[in-house]
Amino acid sequence: MLKEALQYLIGLGNAKIFNSVSGQEYASQTVHLLKRPTPDALVVRNLSGLVDYLIHNYDNQPPVLVHVASPTQVDVLSTYNTDYNRNHLLRAEALLPKIPFGQFLDTEQFNILLQSCFVSNEDRAMVLKVIGNIKEETVSTFGDDGVSQQVTAKTGVATVENVVVPNPVTLKPFRTFVEIEQPESEFIFRMRTGPVAGLFEADGGTWKLTAIARIKDYLQAALEDEVTNGKVTIIA
């Protein structure tokens, strides 16, 4: 038993390669690839940093692949190395505010959120007007069909009336790189007694595809010479 065990252990260190009739290769033991160490990707926080890196560092370098992975991440990858993997050279990650979609906030917090984290447009101004002029603490649900709501708000110097809450609203929150025009999308705007207000995403994530397409267009324009010369390939 001992002799057989020792022979088995010795055999573990003697892996052999066999060629089959079909031309494929097989090993007599499980073998593991010893990967060469590679540096971690350099991280930048905007698209202009990525563009500068590629323009100034790749005059005499092999071609690279730029992958728009999401509205907030773009990766720069090398061609295949000897291990048939790509080296991750650089990653651009957008620095963005945290916007609490799907949560109710008091009107003061909600007002600040709209002004600091959303691009100005007509619907943002309309929502701010409603939020800024609420008079009572009770949100009326009379005739609420799940879409329309009413709040008691100032409509003049000394006039107080029931005002219909706009819904849905089209807004442009900061959700992708600042160099890109922020995608517009629809939100459900709801209010509760308190008063508190919340925004709920209602476009099924379509804005992400729009943002990715705009990032690709931006990079295509900024790296036009590199793309034309075959030094950079951009995919999304």
Side-chain angles (χ1 to χ4, degrees):
M1 290 289 293
L2 179 61
K3 179 180 179 181
E4 293 175 353
L6 290 173
Q7 288 176 337
Y8 171 76
L9 292 174
I10 293 171
L12 291 178
N14 297 320
K16 296 180 180 180
I17 304 296
F18 301 96
N19 292 321
S20 70
V21 176
S22 61
Q24 292 180 309
E25 293 184 335
Y26 294 87
S28 61
Q29 304 289 344
T30 301
V31 294
H32 302 278
L33 176 66
L34 298 178
K35 294 184 178 180
R36 298 178 180 179
T38 56
D40 293 333
L42 177 67
V43 178
V44 296
R45 296 301 183 180
N46 50 42
L47 295 178
S48 57
L50 182 148
V51 170
D52 288 343
Y53 175 84
L54 292 178
I55 290 177
H56 295 102
N57 289 280
Y58 274 84
D59 288 340
N60 300 309
Q61 298 296 324
V64 296
L65 177 69
V66 177
H67 178 212
V68 184
S70 74
T72 60
Q73 180 177 320
V74 181
D75 298 308
V76 178
L77 307 168
S78 73
T79 54
Y80 289 119
N81 57 28
T82 54
D83 296 331
Y84 286 94
N85 289 317
R86 295 182 184 274
N87 293 326
H88 197 171
L89 305 176
L90 182 138
R91 175 187 296 123
E93 293 180 347
L95 280 178
L96 298 170
K98 185 177 180 180
I99 304 177
F101 294 121
Q103 299 180 29
F104 284 94
L105 306 173
D106 66 51
T107 53
E108 185 68 17
Q109 291 177 309
F110 193 80
N111 185 302
I112 294 170
L113 179 72
L114 281 176
Q115 294 192 66
S116 61
C117 298
F118 289 73
V119 179
S120 178
N121 69 356
E122 185 176 343
D123 278 12
R124 190 192 78 156
M126 181 170 51
V127 174
L128 283 171
K129 185 175 181 180
V130 172
I131 291 294
N133 289 291
I134 291 177
K135 182 66 175 176
E136 302 292 339
E137 293 187 354
T138 301
V139 177
S140 171
T141 57
F142 178 75
D144 186 352
D145 59 2
V147 177
S148 301
Q149 283 186 307
Q150 289 184 337
V151 295
T152 304
K154 300 176 186 176
T155 57
V157 176
T159 307
V160 175
E161 296 178 2
N162 282 340
V163 177
V164 176
V165 175
N167 200 21
V169 290
T170 302
L171 299 171
K172 298 173 69 173
F174 288 103
R175 293 182 289 186
T176 187
F177 292 94
V178 294
E179 295 96 336
I180 304 303
E181 181 183 354
Q182 302 300 311
E184 248 181 8
S185 57
E186 287 192 341
F187 294 86
I188 305 301
F189 173 42
R190 299 292 289 175
M191 299 193 68
R192 288 179 179 173
T193 298
V196 294
L199 288 172
F200 300 81
E201 296 181 271
D203 76 337
T206 302
W207 72 269
K208 295 179 181 179
L209 299 178
T210 302
I212 288 173
R214 290 179 181 176
I215 292 171
K216 182 179 179 181
D217 290 343
Y218 172 90
L219 294 174
Q220 290 277 13
L223 298 168
E224 183 178 2
D225 291 342
E226 286 70 22
V227 171
T228 302
N229 294 332
K231 296 178 180 178
V232 174
T233 299
I234 302 172
I235 63 172

